[in-house]
Short mmCIF file of all heavy atoms in Angstrom, two decimals:
data_model
loop_
_atom_site.label_atom_id
_atom_site.label_comp_id
_atom_site.label_asym_id
_atom_site.label_seq_id
_atom_site.Cartn_x
_atom_site.Cartn_y
_atom_site.Cartn_z
N LYS Y 184 159.71 -91.74 -1.67
CA LYS Y 184 158.63 -92.45 -0.99
C LYS Y 184 157.31 -91.76 -1.30
O LYS Y 184 157.27 -90.56 -1.57
CB LYS Y 184 158.85 -92.44 0.53
CG LYS Y 184 160.15 -93.06 1.00
CD LYS Y 184 160.30 -92.85 2.50
CE LYS Y 184 161.67 -93.28 2.99
NZ LYS Y 184 161.86 -92.95 4.43
N ASP Y 185 156.23 -92.53 -1.23
CA ASP Y 185 154.91 -91.95 -1.48
C ASP Y 185 154.53 -90.94 -0.40
O ASP Y 185 153.91 -89.92 -0.68
CB ASP Y 185 153.84 -93.05 -1.53
CG ASP Y 185 153.96 -93.90 -2.78
OD1 ASP Y 185 154.56 -93.41 -3.76
OD2 ASP Y 185 153.48 -95.04 -2.78
N GLU Y 186 154.92 -91.23 0.84
CA GLU Y 186 154.60 -90.34 1.96
C GLU Y 186 155.83 -90.17 2.85
O GLU Y 186 156.65 -91.08 2.97
CB GLU Y 186 153.45 -90.90 2.80
CG GLU Y 186 152.12 -90.97 2.06
CD GLU Y 186 151.00 -91.49 2.94
OE1 GLU Y 186 151.28 -91.82 4.12
OE2 GLU Y 186 149.86 -91.58 2.46
N GLY Y 187 155.92 -89.01 3.47
CA GLY Y 187 157.02 -88.75 4.38
C GLY Y 187 156.58 -88.86 5.83
O GLY Y 187 155.42 -89.15 6.13
N ASN Y 188 157.52 -88.64 6.73
CA ASN Y 188 157.22 -88.68 8.17
C ASN Y 188 157.91 -87.51 8.87
O ASN Y 188 158.68 -87.68 9.80
CB ASN Y 188 157.66 -90.02 8.78
CG ASN Y 188 159.15 -90.28 8.59
OD1 ASN Y 188 159.75 -89.79 7.63
ND2 ASN Y 188 159.75 -91.03 9.49
N HIS Y 189 157.62 -86.33 8.37
CA HIS Y 189 158.27 -85.12 8.88
C HIS Y 189 157.90 -84.86 10.33
O HIS Y 189 156.78 -85.12 10.77
CB HIS Y 189 157.86 -83.92 8.02
CG HIS Y 189 158.76 -82.73 8.17
ND1 HIS Y 189 158.64 -81.84 9.20
CD2 HIS Y 189 159.80 -82.30 7.41
CE1 HIS Y 189 159.56 -80.90 9.08
NE2 HIS Y 189 160.28 -81.15 8.00
N TRP Y 190 158.86 -84.33 11.07
CA TRP Y 190 158.66 -83.97 12.47
C TRP Y 190 157.67 -82.81 12.57
O TRP Y 190 157.68 -81.89 11.75
CB TRP Y 190 159.99 -83.57 13.08
CG TRP Y 190 159.93 -83.02 14.48
CD1 TRP Y 190 159.84 -83.74 15.63
CD2 TRP Y 190 159.96 -81.65 14.87
NE1 TRP Y 190 159.82 -82.90 16.72
CE2 TRP Y 190 159.89 -81.61 16.29
CE3 TRP Y 190 160.04 -80.44 14.17
CZ2 TRP Y 190 159.90 -80.42 17.01
CZ3 TRP Y 190 160.04 -79.26 14.89
CH2 TRP Y 190 159.97 -79.25 16.28
N VAL Y 191 156.81 -82.88 13.59
CA VAL Y 191 155.86 -81.80 13.85
C VAL Y 191 156.08 -81.29 15.26
O VAL Y 191 156.16 -82.07 16.21
CB VAL Y 191 154.40 -82.29 13.69
CG1 VAL Y 191 153.43 -81.16 14.02
CG2 VAL Y 191 154.16 -82.80 12.27
N ASP Y 192 156.22 -79.99 15.40
CA ASP Y 192 156.41 -79.36 16.71
C ASP Y 192 155.24 -79.74 17.62
O ASP Y 192 154.08 -79.52 17.27
CB ASP Y 192 156.45 -77.84 16.53
CG ASP Y 192 156.82 -77.11 17.82
OD1 ASP Y 192 156.55 -77.66 18.90
OD2 ASP Y 192 157.37 -76.01 17.73
N PRO Y 193 155.52 -80.35 18.80
CA PRO Y 193 154.44 -80.77 19.70
C PRO Y 193 153.48 -79.65 20.08
O PRO Y 193 152.27 -79.88 20.19
CB PRO Y 193 155.20 -81.28 20.94
CG PRO Y 193 156.53 -81.68 20.42
CD PRO Y 193 156.84 -80.71 19.32
N SER Y 194 154.00 -78.44 20.26
CA SER Y 194 153.13 -77.32 20.62
C SER Y 194 152.16 -77.00 19.49
O SER Y 194 150.98 -76.71 19.72
CB SER Y 194 153.96 -76.08 20.96
OG SER Y 194 154.71 -75.66 19.84
N ILE Y 195 152.65 -77.10 18.26
CA ILE Y 195 151.79 -76.85 17.10
C ILE Y 195 150.76 -77.97 16.98
O ILE Y 195 149.59 -77.73 16.68
CB ILE Y 195 152.62 -76.74 15.81
CG1 ILE Y 195 153.53 -75.51 15.88
CG2 ILE Y 195 151.73 -76.68 14.58
CD1 ILE Y 195 154.47 -75.37 14.70
N ALA Y 196 151.22 -79.20 17.23
CA ALA Y 196 150.30 -80.35 17.17
C ALA Y 196 149.18 -80.19 18.19
O ALA Y 196 148.01 -80.49 17.90
CB ALA Y 196 151.08 -81.64 17.41
N GLU Y 197 149.53 -79.73 19.40
CA GLU Y 197 148.51 -79.52 20.44
C GLU Y 197 147.54 -78.42 20.04
O GLU Y 197 146.33 -78.53 20.26
CB GLU Y 197 149.19 -79.17 21.77
CG GLU Y 197 149.87 -80.34 22.46
CD GLU Y 197 148.88 -81.43 22.84
OE1 GLU Y 197 147.74 -81.09 23.22
OE2 GLU Y 197 149.23 -82.61 22.75
N GLN Y 198 148.07 -77.36 19.44
CA GLN Y 198 147.21 -76.27 18.99
C GLN Y 198 146.24 -76.75 17.91
O GLN Y 198 145.05 -76.40 17.92
CB GLN Y 198 148.06 -75.12 18.45
CG GLN Y 198 148.85 -74.38 19.52
CD GLN Y 198 149.78 -73.34 18.93
OE1 GLN Y 198 149.77 -73.08 17.73
NE2 GLN Y 198 150.61 -72.74 19.77
N GLU Y 199 146.76 -77.56 16.98
CA GLU Y 199 145.92 -78.09 15.91
C GLU Y 199 144.84 -79.02 16.48
O GLU Y 199 143.69 -78.98 16.05
CB GLU Y 199 146.77 -78.84 14.89
CG GLU Y 199 147.67 -77.94 14.06
CD GLU Y 199 148.52 -78.71 13.08
OE1 GLU Y 199 148.53 -79.96 13.16
OE2 GLU Y 199 149.17 -78.07 12.24
N LYS Y 200 145.24 -79.83 17.47
CA LYS Y 200 144.29 -80.74 18.09
C LYS Y 200 143.20 -79.96 18.81
O LYS Y 200 142.00 -80.29 18.71
CB LYS Y 200 145.02 -81.66 19.09
CG LYS Y 200 144.13 -82.71 19.72
CD LYS Y 200 144.92 -83.62 20.65
CE LYS Y 200 144.01 -84.66 21.30
NZ LYS Y 200 144.78 -85.55 22.21
N ALA Y 201 143.60 -78.90 19.54
CA ALA Y 201 142.63 -78.07 20.25
C ALA Y 201 141.68 -77.39 19.26
O ALA Y 201 140.47 -77.30 19.51
CB ALA Y 201 143.36 -77.03 21.09
N ALA Y 202 142.23 -76.93 18.15
CA ALA Y 202 141.40 -76.27 17.14
C ALA Y 202 140.40 -77.25 16.53
O ALA Y 202 139.23 -76.91 16.29
CB ALA Y 202 142.29 -75.68 16.04
N GLN Y 203 140.85 -78.49 16.30
CA GLN Y 203 139.96 -79.51 15.75
C GLN Y 203 138.84 -79.85 16.73
O GLN Y 203 137.68 -80.00 16.34
CB GLN Y 203 140.76 -80.77 15.41
CG GLN Y 203 141.68 -80.61 14.21
CD GLN Y 203 142.58 -81.81 14.00
OE1 GLN Y 203 142.55 -82.77 14.77
NE2 GLN Y 203 143.37 -81.78 12.94
N GLU Y 204 139.19 -79.95 18.04
CA GLU Y 204 138.18 -80.24 19.06
C GLU Y 204 137.17 -79.10 19.14
O GLU Y 204 135.96 -79.33 19.29
CB GLU Y 204 138.86 -80.44 20.42
CG GLU Y 204 139.69 -81.71 20.53
CD GLU Y 204 138.83 -82.96 20.40
OE1 GLU Y 204 137.65 -82.92 20.80
OE2 GLU Y 204 139.34 -83.98 19.88
N LYS Y 205 137.67 -77.87 19.06
CA LYS Y 205 136.79 -76.70 19.11
C LYS Y 205 135.84 -76.70 17.92
O LYS Y 205 134.65 -76.38 18.05
CB LYS Y 205 137.64 -75.43 19.11
CG LYS Y 205 136.86 -74.16 19.38
CD LYS Y 205 137.80 -72.97 19.49
CE LYS Y 205 137.01 -71.69 19.79
NZ LYS Y 205 137.92 -70.51 19.90
N GLU Y 206 136.38 -77.08 16.76
CA GLU Y 206 135.55 -77.13 15.56
C GLU Y 206 134.47 -78.20 15.68
O GLU Y 206 133.32 -78.00 15.28
CB GLU Y 206 136.43 -77.41 14.34
CG GLU Y 206 135.69 -77.37 13.02
CD GLU Y 206 136.60 -77.60 11.83
OE1 GLU Y 206 137.83 -77.71 12.03
OE2 GLU Y 206 136.08 -77.69 10.70
N LYS Y 207 134.84 -79.35 16.27
CA LYS Y 207 133.87 -80.43 16.48
C LYS Y 207 132.74 -79.98 17.41
O LYS Y 207 131.57 -80.25 17.16
CB LYS Y 207 134.56 -81.66 17.07
CG LYS Y 207 135.42 -82.42 16.08
CD LYS Y 207 136.06 -83.63 16.75
CE LYS Y 207 136.96 -84.39 15.78
NZ LYS Y 207 137.61 -85.55 16.45
N GLU Y 208 133.12 -79.29 18.51
CA GLU Y 208 132.12 -78.80 19.46
C GLU Y 208 131.18 -77.79 18.79
O GLU Y 208 129.97 -77.80 19.04
CB GLU Y 208 132.81 -78.16 20.67
CG GLU Y 208 133.49 -79.15 21.59
CD GLU Y 208 132.50 -80.13 22.21
OE1 GLU Y 208 131.37 -79.70 22.53
OE2 GLU Y 208 132.84 -81.31 22.35
N ALA Y 209 131.77 -76.93 17.96
CA ALA Y 209 130.96 -75.94 17.26
C ALA Y 209 129.96 -76.62 16.33
O ALA Y 209 128.79 -76.22 16.23
CB ALA Y 209 131.85 -74.98 16.48
N LYS Y 210 130.42 -77.68 15.65
CA LYS Y 210 129.53 -78.42 14.75
C LYS Y 210 128.40 -79.09 15.53
O LYS Y 210 127.25 -79.10 15.09
CB LYS Y 210 130.33 -79.46 13.96
CG LYS Y 210 131.21 -78.87 12.87
CD LYS Y 210 131.94 -79.96 12.11
CE LYS Y 210 132.80 -79.37 11.00
NZ LYS Y 210 133.55 -80.42 10.27
N LYS Y 211 128.75 -79.65 16.71
CA LYS Y 211 127.73 -80.29 17.54
C LYS Y 211 126.67 -79.27 17.96
O LYS Y 211 125.47 -79.55 17.92
CB LYS Y 211 128.38 -80.91 18.79
CG LYS Y 211 129.17 -82.18 18.52
CD LYS Y 211 129.76 -82.73 19.81
CE LYS Y 211 130.58 -83.98 19.55
NZ LYS Y 211 131.19 -84.49 20.80
N LYS Y 212 127.14 -78.09 18.39
CA LYS Y 212 126.21 -77.04 18.81
C LYS Y 212 125.31 -76.62 17.65
O LYS Y 212 124.12 -76.38 17.82
CB LYS Y 212 126.98 -75.84 19.35
CG LYS Y 212 127.63 -76.10 20.70
CD LYS Y 212 128.37 -74.87 21.19
CE LYS Y 212 129.03 -75.13 22.55
NZ LYS Y 212 129.78 -73.94 23.03
N ASN Y 213 125.90 -76.53 16.47
CA ASN Y 213 125.11 -76.15 15.30
C ASN Y 213 124.05 -77.20 15.00
O ASN Y 213 122.90 -76.86 14.68
CB ASN Y 213 126.02 -75.98 14.07
CG ASN Y 213 126.88 -74.74 14.17
OD1 ASN Y 213 126.54 -73.81 14.90
ND2 ASN Y 213 127.99 -74.71 13.45
N ILE Y 214 124.44 -78.47 15.11
CA ILE Y 214 123.49 -79.56 14.85
C ILE Y 214 122.35 -79.53 15.87
O ILE Y 214 121.18 -79.66 15.53
CB ILE Y 214 124.21 -80.93 14.88
CG1 ILE Y 214 125.16 -81.03 13.68
CG2 ILE Y 214 123.20 -82.07 14.85
CD1 ILE Y 214 126.05 -82.25 13.71
N VAL Y 215 122.72 -79.34 17.16
CA VAL Y 215 121.71 -79.26 18.22
C VAL Y 215 120.77 -78.09 17.96
O VAL Y 215 119.54 -78.20 18.11
CB VAL Y 215 122.38 -79.13 19.60
CG1 VAL Y 215 121.34 -78.82 20.68
CG2 VAL Y 215 123.12 -80.40 19.95
N GLY Y 216 121.34 -76.95 17.58
CA GLY Y 216 120.52 -75.78 17.29
C GLY Y 216 119.55 -76.03 16.14
O GLY Y 216 118.38 -75.62 16.19
N ILE Y 217 120.05 -76.72 15.11
CA ILE Y 217 119.19 -77.03 13.96
C ILE Y 217 118.05 -77.95 14.38
O ILE Y 217 116.89 -77.76 14.00
CB ILE Y 217 120.03 -77.68 12.84
CG1 ILE Y 217 120.99 -76.64 12.23
CG2 ILE Y 217 119.13 -78.26 11.75
CD1 ILE Y 217 122.01 -77.24 11.29
N ILE Y 218 118.39 -78.97 15.20
CA ILE Y 218 117.36 -79.92 15.66
C ILE Y 218 116.31 -79.21 16.50
O ILE Y 218 115.10 -79.41 16.33
CB ILE Y 218 118.01 -81.06 16.47
CG1 ILE Y 218 118.87 -81.93 15.54
CG2 ILE Y 218 116.95 -81.92 17.15
CD1 ILE Y 218 119.70 -82.97 16.26
N ILE Y 219 116.78 -78.34 17.42
CA ILE Y 219 115.84 -77.58 18.25
C ILE Y 219 114.94 -76.71 17.38
O ILE Y 219 113.72 -76.61 17.61
CB ILE Y 219 116.60 -76.72 19.28
CG1 ILE Y 219 117.28 -77.62 20.31
CG2 ILE Y 219 115.67 -75.73 19.97
CD1 ILE Y 219 118.20 -76.89 21.26
N GLY Y 220 115.53 -76.08 16.37
CA GLY Y 220 114.76 -75.24 15.47
C GLY Y 220 113.70 -76.04 14.72
O GLY Y 220 112.55 -75.59 14.57
N ILE Y 221 114.10 -77.24 14.27
CA ILE Y 221 113.15 -78.09 13.55
C ILE Y 221 112.01 -78.52 14.46
O ILE Y 221 110.82 -78.46 14.10
CB ILE Y 221 113.86 -79.33 12.97
CG1 ILE Y 221 114.83 -78.91 11.86
CG2 ILE Y 221 112.85 -80.35 12.44
CD1 ILE Y 221 115.72 -80.02 11.37
N VAL Y 222 112.37 -78.95 15.69
CA VAL Y 222 111.35 -79.38 16.66
C VAL Y 222 110.40 -78.23 16.98
O VAL Y 222 109.16 -78.41 17.04
CB VAL Y 222 112.01 -79.91 17.95
CG1 VAL Y 222 110.98 -80.14 19.04
CG2 VAL Y 222 112.77 -81.19 17.66
N ALA Y 223 110.97 -77.04 17.19
CA ALA Y 223 110.14 -75.88 17.49
C ALA Y 223 109.21 -75.56 16.33
O ALA Y 223 108.02 -75.25 16.52
CB ALA Y 223 111.02 -74.68 17.81
N GLY Y 224 109.75 -75.66 15.12
CA GLY Y 224 108.93 -75.41 13.94
C GLY Y 224 107.79 -76.39 13.81
O GLY Y 224 106.64 -76.02 13.49
N VAL Y 225 108.09 -77.67 14.07
CA VAL Y 225 107.06 -78.71 14.01
C VAL Y 225 106.00 -78.44 15.08
O VAL Y 225 104.79 -78.57 14.83
CB VAL Y 225 107.68 -80.10 14.20
CG1 VAL Y 225 106.59 -81.16 14.37
CG2 VAL Y 225 108.57 -80.45 13.00
N ALA Y 226 106.45 -78.07 16.29
CA ALA Y 226 105.51 -77.80 17.39
C ALA Y 226 104.58 -76.65 17.03
O ALA Y 226 103.36 -76.71 17.28
CB ALA Y 226 106.28 -77.48 18.66
N VAL Y 227 105.14 -75.60 16.45
CA VAL Y 227 104.31 -74.46 16.04
C VAL Y 227 103.30 -74.88 14.98
O VAL Y 227 102.12 -74.53 15.03
CB VAL Y 227 105.20 -73.31 15.52
CG1 VAL Y 227 104.34 -72.23 14.87
CG2 VAL Y 227 106.02 -72.72 16.65
N ALA Y 228 103.78 -75.68 14.00
CA ALA Y 228 102.89 -76.14 12.93
C ALA Y 228 101.76 -76.99 13.49
O ALA Y 228 100.58 -76.84 13.10
CB ALA Y 228 103.69 -76.93 11.90
N VAL Y 229 102.10 -77.90 14.42
CA VAL Y 229 101.08 -78.74 15.05
C VAL Y 229 100.08 -77.88 15.81
O VAL Y 229 98.85 -78.11 15.77
CB VAL Y 229 101.74 -79.78 15.99
CG1 VAL Y 229 100.68 -80.48 16.84
CG2 VAL Y 229 102.53 -80.79 15.19
N GLY Y 230 100.58 -76.87 16.52
CA GLY Y 230 99.70 -75.97 17.27
C GLY Y 230 98.73 -75.24 16.36
O GLY Y 230 97.54 -75.10 16.67
N VAL Y 231 99.25 -74.76 15.24
CA VAL Y 231 98.39 -74.04 14.28
C VAL Y 231 97.32 -74.96 13.73
O VAL Y 231 96.14 -74.60 13.63
CB VAL Y 231 99.26 -73.45 13.14
CG1 VAL Y 231 98.37 -72.90 12.04
CG2 VAL Y 231 100.16 -72.35 13.69
#
Side-chain angles (χ1 to χ4, degrees):
K184 301 174 188 174
D185 289 338
E186 295 182 359
N188 58 332
H189 198 278
W190 174 81
V191 178
D192 187 333
S194 62
I195 295 176
E197 286 297 324
Q198 291 174 6
E199 290 179 351
K200 184 178 179 180
Q203 290 173 357
E204 291 296 329
K205 189 174 181 180
E206 185 178 355
K207 286 181 182 178
E208 288 298 322
K210 286 181 179 179
K211 286 181 181 178
K212 289 180 180 179
N213 288 338
I214 292 172
V215 171
I217 291 170
I218 292 173
I219 291 173
I221 292 172
V222 171
V225 170
V227 170
V229 170
V231 171

